[in-house]
Amino acid sequence: MLSQIIPKSQPPTQENLDFYSTDVEALRQSVGSLLSSVGYRSCLAAAQAYANIVPQHERFRIALDTVLPQMTSGSDYALRILSSFILFSLYTPHPISMNPFRSIILEHFLSHRAVARTHVNINDTHVNEQFIWVLWKILRGEGSDIGPYSPAQLAREPLHPQMRAAQLTLIEETNISTSSSSASTTVSRSSTPPLQSPRPTLVTRSSDHYPTYGSSENAFNNSSLINRSASSYEGTSKAISLLLSARSRVLTLSEQRILRPHLQSLVHPLLILKAPDLPALITHNPMIAHPFLVWILQSSMPQAAQKEYVDEIKSLPPTLSSFDFIGRLVMDQTPLGSVEATYYVADVIVINVLAGFVHGCIEWIEREEREIEMTGKIDDKLEKAIINLCRFYSSLVKSSVIDVSDDDEITEMKHFALQNSRFEEANTLFRVLAKG
């Protein structure tokens, strides 16, 4: 009876096998083209493109056949970085411990780090240290932090001193080192005579999770370095995560206290926020954005790169966080430049930013007014912007940042205040400016 209900399975025909083989081969070629053409696209965009190209049921197979070989060999470290991120992204948001590619990523991290560490004594930056840093971030479950950056950028930028291969350790290595030290202490305190005491050995984890690579001396022979730098590592890593989070949310007071001591060390091409990220940081955390920009201006970063950050300030909208941020900068007397030609942060902002920022605020308000006229939708943010801009400008006048005797400097704002004199703040400001 069952044989009449359930049909017998038919063996696959040669035609079906040929079609399946052709389809998989086409996927491999598409992924190969993707990997070779996205050096300057962000890692996250490339991972999303991979997910769009390859059906879900084929992603592991194609990754195993096409992506993994690119990560494990070759001298193009941008390609290797991209491949490792794609392998990581396949199983997010699950923990990295559940990623089937974790063991091979760990193996390459340990082997490449061992080679790179041999170059520390001669103060040489090994060619694959950026690749090692990316693998380290992935193994720590922090691979998402590198998503916004392109593989070419990650492979090219120099590393922060605390992110060099000699400094990179994993949490399980610290645990193993601590367990080994504890085991050695226990043995030394036992009643067994010294000549008969068992030789202490490293306490290793289950091979299901952490495979063993060589002898314990070769794998973890820097326990003193691990113990000495572990706390520094965690602090820097936590600060990096907080700085990235500060773009999208307001940090708590305790988080700000953790981040502030590390801001200077994070002013680095690979680790800091890029110039386009600065407005978001200002919007959510102006108290962090202020010292962050000051450290940028004090750093050895090329002036062209510093100018990118300064230029971003001019386009800030007329919000309280923007006025708070600019107000702090125009009063900042932190010295810049050389001993022979000293100037201050306030000088840079007043000369290069202030007029452009005020002009941008006025343009923003005028655009909102035109939009209200077209749509008929009334929004109180326009009224708040007018009032707050007038208050901000009045504070600059009182602080003598603005010279009211300079007609060229105040003409635009005087005209704006007159147009909006229906507001008390604008009316008061106009009378002050009109007196000269």
Side-chain angles (χ1 to χ4, degrees):
M1 179 66 68
L2 288 177
S3 62
Q4 298 176 356
I5 298 175
I6 304 176
K8 295 181 179 180
S9 59
Q10 298 294 327
T13 63
Q14 185 63 40
E15 180 180 358
N16 291 336
L17 291 176
D18 291 342
F19 175 80
Y20 178 77
S21 176
T22 303
D23 189 45
V24 172
E25 185 60 31
L27 288 176
R28 291 192 184 119
Q29 293 178 359
S30 298
V31 172
S33 299
L34 171 68
L35 294 176
S36 62
S37 62
V38 293
Y40 292 92
R41 189 188 304 178
S42 71
C43 291
L44 183 59
Q48 291 171 343
Y50 177 88
N52 293 334
I53 292 174
V54 184
Q56 186 172 3
H57 66 280
E58 288 289 352
R59 288 174 189 169
F60 175 79
R61 174 191 177 98
I62 299 299
L64 192 65
D65 294 344
T66 307
V67 181
L68 183 61
Q70 299 291 349
M71 190 206 77
T72 57
S73 62
S75 58
D76 186 351
Y77 284 98
L79 179 58
R80 299 183 73 172
I81 286 172
L82 174 61
S83 301
S84 62
F85 182 83
I86 290 177
L87 297 179
F88 157 78
S89 67
L90 288 176
Y91 294 90
T92 54
H94 300 294
I96 186 61
S97 59
M98 299 180 64
N99 192 311
F101 296 104
R102 182 191 183 280
S103 60
I104 191 67
I105 293 175
L106 176 60
E107 178 181 0
H108 279 267
F109 168 74
L110 293 174
S111 61
H112 282 73
R113 185 188 63 178
V115 175
R117 279 180 170 176
T118 62
H119 291 251
V120 173
N121 294 331
I122 58 176
N123 296 321
D124 178 33
T125 302
H126 197 262
V127 68
N128 66 10
E129 288 208 59
Q130 291 85 352
F131 177 54
I132 298 171
W133 180 80
V134 169
L135 297 183
W136 176 75
K137 293 287 287 184
I138 289 174
L139 291 169
R140 287 171 57 90
E142 300 171 354
S144 299
D145 290 350
I146 67 176
Y149 302 100
S150 70
Q153 181 183 13
L154 291 168
R156 181 181 65 249
E157 297 286 359
L159 287 171
H160 188 280
Q162 290 187 346
M163 297 294 114
R164 294 287 303 274
Q167 302 290 331
L168 299 182
T169 57
L170 299 173
I171 295 176
E172 53 264 35
E173 293 182 278
T174 305
N175 293 339
I176 289 173
S177 175
T178 304
S179 301
S180 175
S181 176
S182 176
S184 177
T185 303
T186 302
V187 170
S188 65
R189 292 180 179 177
S190 66
S191 58
T192 307
L195 294 178
Q196 300 177 7
S197 61
R199 184 177 181 180
T201 57
L202 286 175
V203 179
T204 58
R205 296 194 176 210
S206 170
S207 59
D208 293 339
H209 299 285
Y210 305 108
T212 303
Y213 302 97
S215 66
S216 60
E217 293 181 359
N218 291 333
F220 306 125
N221 60 352
N222 289 313
S223 59
S224 60
L225 175 63
I226 293 172
N227 293 330
R228 184 171 64 252
S229 61
S231 59
S232 174
Y233 257 160
E234 293 302 321
T236 302
S237 179
K238 178 66 174 177
I240 294 172
S241 298
L242 288 176
L243 186 58
L244 292 171
S245 299
R247 299 172 300 176
S248 56
R249 65 177 179 85
V250 178
L251 298 183
T252 65
L253 291 177
S254 60
E255 289 174 331
Q256 291 183 31
R257 285 194 293 269
I258 293 173
L259 175 57
R260 279 179 175 275
H262 296 275
L263 281 177
Q264 182 181 9
S265 64
L266 298 184
V267 178
H268 188 272
L270 183 58
L271 300 180
I272 64 173
L273 303 182
K274 302 302 179 183
D277 295 320
L278 186 59
L281 179 65
I282 296 170
T283 299
H284 295 94
N285 296 277
M287 297 283 287
I288 296 297
H290 168 221
F292 180 74
L293 182 64
V294 171
W295 283 123
I296 289 177
L297 296 177
Q298 286 186 312
S299 71
S300 58
M301 186 183 298
Q303 288 188 356
Q306 293 179 349
K307 186 176 182 298
E308 293 179 7
Y309 288 87
V310 173
D311 288 344
E312 287 290 335
I313 305 174
K314 299 178 184 179
S315 59
L316 292 176
T319 60
L320 287 176
S321 58
S322 299
F323 296 134
D324 179 27
F325 176 72
I326 298 294
R328 293 175 184 275
L329 288 174
V330 297
M331 303 302 294
D332 194 315
Q333 296 299 309
T334 302
L336 302 173
S338 61
V339 177
E340 295 79 7
T342 301
Y343 53 97
Y344 304 95
V345 170
D347 298 331
V348 173
I349 302 303
V350 171
I351 295 173
N352 299 286
V353 173
L354 189 56
F357 169 69
V358 171
H359 177 72
C361 288
I362 293 175
E363 285 191 333
W364 186 95
I365 291 172
E366 291 174 347
R367 284 196 303 270
E368 288 295 316
E369 289 176 337
R370 290 193 295 269
E371 184 175 347
I372 290 176
E373 291 176 358
M374 293 175 59
T375 61
K377 295 181 180 179
I378 300 177
D379 193 341
D380 63 345
K381 68 179 181 180
L382 175 61
E383 179 179 333
K384 290 180 180 179
I386 295 172
I387 293 174
N388 290 331
L389 176 57
C390 291
R391 288 175 177 173
F392 170 72
Y393 204 86
S394 295
S395 68
L396 297 179
V397 173
K398 291 178 181 179
S399 302
S400 300
V401 175
I402 298 295
D403 182 6
V404 294
S405 64
D406 186 345
D407 289 337
D408 293 337
E409 184 176 3
I410 67 172
T411 296
E412 183 179 28
M413 196 62 195
K414 185 194 296 185
H415 179 69
F416 173 82
L418 179 61
Q419 279 188 323
N420 295 279
S421 58
R422 65 186 184 277
F423 298 104
E424 180 181 353
E425 291 80 2
N427 191 13
T428 302
L429 176 61
F430 174 76
R431 290 199 303 270
V432 172
L433 297 179
K435 290 179 181 179

